[in-house]
Amino acid sequence: MFSLPQLEAFVAVAEELHFGAAAERLNMTQPPLSRQIQMLEKKLNTTLFSRTSRKVELTAAGATLLPRARQILDMCIKTDMDVRRVSSGQAGTITVGYTAIAGQSALPMMLRKAAEGMPGVSFVLRELVSTDQMDGLVKGNVDIGLLRPIVGRPGVVSRPLMQDRLVVAVPEGNPILGNTGIADGQPLPLGSLDRRPLLMYSTKEARYFHDLVLRLFASAGAHANITQYASQVPALLAFVQAGLGVTLVPASAMAFAPPGVEFHEIDGRHGMQELNRVDLELAWNEETANPAVLRLLELIGETMPAAGAPAG
C-alpha cells in the first residue's frame, strides 16, 4: 500500500506541476521527492506524470488519483485533530445521569458551562433516580451523576454540588390542612401536618428523601400519616394537584409545579433550619478513561451556586 509521504509528494507536484517548486513547498530537496513519486508509480503500476524538459502534466491516471489523494490527506489531518481534541477533553461524548429536580436546576447550569468551555463535546442525558445512577457509574453506563447522597460504591467518588431545602406542597386553598391559622405564603410548622395524609418518597428509589422527611417530622413531634408512595417529585406533585394529600419537595421544584399546588416554607425554629437541608452531589467513577469527564470536572469547579438557603 502507498504511504502518506508518497501521497503528499504526489499532491504537491500535481498542484505545482513543477518538481523544484513542489520540493521547496515540502521543505525537501528534489531527489527524495522524485523517489517518492517513483515508488508511488511503482506501487500503482502506472505513470502519474508526463514529464518533458519543458513541463510536467498529469496523466489520466494521475488526474484520477488527485482528488482522492486530497481526500485521504484531509481525512488524516481531521483524524489527527479529532484524536488530539478527544484526548484533551475538548471533544467526545459524556453520559449524564440526573434526578428530575437536578434536571431543572443543576443540569442546565452544568450544560451551560460545558457549552462555553468544551463546545465540541456532546451529551447523552438520562433521567434516573439516584440508586440507578450509582449502578450506572459502577457499570460504566453513566459518566457523570447528579444525585442525592446515598450509600457509596467502591470506585465511585462524589463531591457536593448544590444545596436546597424542602418546602411543603399543599392543594390550592389548603383544604387538607383545615383550620391551621397559617396564611398563604407564611412558614408552616411541621407539627400542623400531624396525621394529615402525607404523600411520601419510596424507600427503595428515593431513600434519601424518605429518611429526611421522617427526620423532619420526628423533630417536629408530628406523626407521618403516609397514604401514597412515589419515587419522583413530579409524581408526588401530581398527587397533591389531585387533592390526595400534602408532601415535602425541594424548593427548586416550585419552578415547574403544576397548577393547583401551593407552597409553604417550613418554619425554621427549634433547629428545623439546620436539619432542613437537601444536598445534591456530583459523582463519577474514579477510574474513568474519558478525558472529557475530567475536563468537565475542572470546568465545574468545587461548587455551583446554591438553589437557596432554608427559610427561618
Side-chain angles (χ1 to χ4, degrees):
M1 182 58 65
F2 47 75
S3 66
L4 293 179
Q6 291 168 2
L7 288 183
E8 288 173 342
F10 166 73
V11 170
V13 175
E15 291 178 347
E16 300 292 342
L17 293 178
H18 190 285
F19 276 77
E24 185 176 350
R25 168 174 154 179
L26 295 175
N27 197 26
M28 62 193 302
T29 60
Q30 188 170 330
L33 173 66
S34 297
R35 283 197 295 273
Q36 292 285 4
I37 298 298
Q38 290 166 5
M39 287 189 291
L40 180 59
E41 289 179 327
K42 182 177 180 181
K43 183 66 67 176
L44 296 174
N45 194 27
T46 190
T47 300
L48 299 172
F49 295 100
S50 172
R51 308 170 181 88
T52 68
S53 58
R54 294 184 178 181
K55 62 180 179 178
V56 176
E57 292 182 329
L58 281 167
T59 63
T64 300
L65 176 61
L66 180 57
R68 301 181 189 187
R70 285 173 173 152
Q71 263 186 331
I72 293 171
L73 293 176
D74 287 345
M75 185 177 296
C76 289
I77 293 171
K78 183 179 183 302
T79 299
D80 177 79
M81 292 174 62
D82 287 347
V83 170
R84 291 176 187 273
R85 289 174 66 225
V86 169
S87 66
S88 66
Q90 293 297 323
T93 302
I94 299 176
T95 299
V96 178
Y98 63 95
T99 63
I101 296 301
Q104 304 292 325
S105 53
L107 180 64
M109 286 187 280
M110 187 183 77
L111 294 177
R112 278 196 295 271
K113 284 180 175 285
E116 294 168 1
M118 42 200 301
V121 173
S122 59
F123 287 84
V124 177
L125 306 180
R126 299 178 61 194
E127 183 177 320
L128 300 167
V129 295
S130 296
T131 52
D132 290 343
Q133 286 188 56
M134 190 65 76
D135 289 341
L137 289 167
V138 172
K139 296 175 183 176
N141 301 327
V142 174
D143 292 312
I144 290 282
L146 302 177
L147 45 75
R148 303 299 171 184
I150 59 176
V151 177
R153 304 283 182 86
V156 176
V157 292
S158 62
R159 70 181 185 214
L161 185 64
M162 292 184 69
Q163 205 174 94
D164 204 344
R165 66 193 184 280
L166 290 180
V167 295
V168 181
V170 300
E172 191 171 28
N174 299 347
I176 291 178
L177 293 181
N179 253 339
T180 61
I182 304 297
D184 288 348
Q186 293 211 345
L188 185 72
L190 282 187
S192 63
L193 300 183
D194 182 59
R195 303 186 185 280
R196 309 283 181 181
L198 178 65
L199 310 168
M200 187 53 146
Y201 298 88
S202 65
T203 55
K204 181 180 179 182
E205 293 91 352
R207 168 67 69 176
Y208 173 81
F209 280 118
H210 178 275
D211 292 350
L212 176 58
V213 170
L214 289 184
R215 287 197 300 271
L216 289 170
F217 266 70
S219 178
H223 171 73
N225 177 26
I226 301 169
T227 58
Q228 298 278 355
Y229 286 94
S231 62
Q232 293 279 27
V233 170
L236 291 172
L237 290 177
F239 283 141
V240 175
Q241 183 186 32
L244 300 183
V246 301
T247 192
L248 275 62
V249 298
S252 49
M254 292 190 288
F256 62 91
V261 178
E262 297 178 356
F263 296 93
H264 288 270
E265 296 285 350
I266 295 174
D267 193 310
R269 291 174 294 181
H270 311 301
M272 191 66 69
Q273 180 171 331
E274 290 74 22
L275 187 60
N276 183 16
R277 191 181 77 182
V278 178
D279 293 319
L280 181 71
E281 292 190 342
L282 177 72
W284 67 97
N285 192 310
E286 63 181 352
E287 296 183 355
T288 181
N290 188 341
V293 172
L294 303 178
R295 173 65 179 150
L296 180 60
L297 293 174
E298 291 177 6
L299 281 177
I300 292 174
E302 291 300 320
T303 58
M304 290 173 70

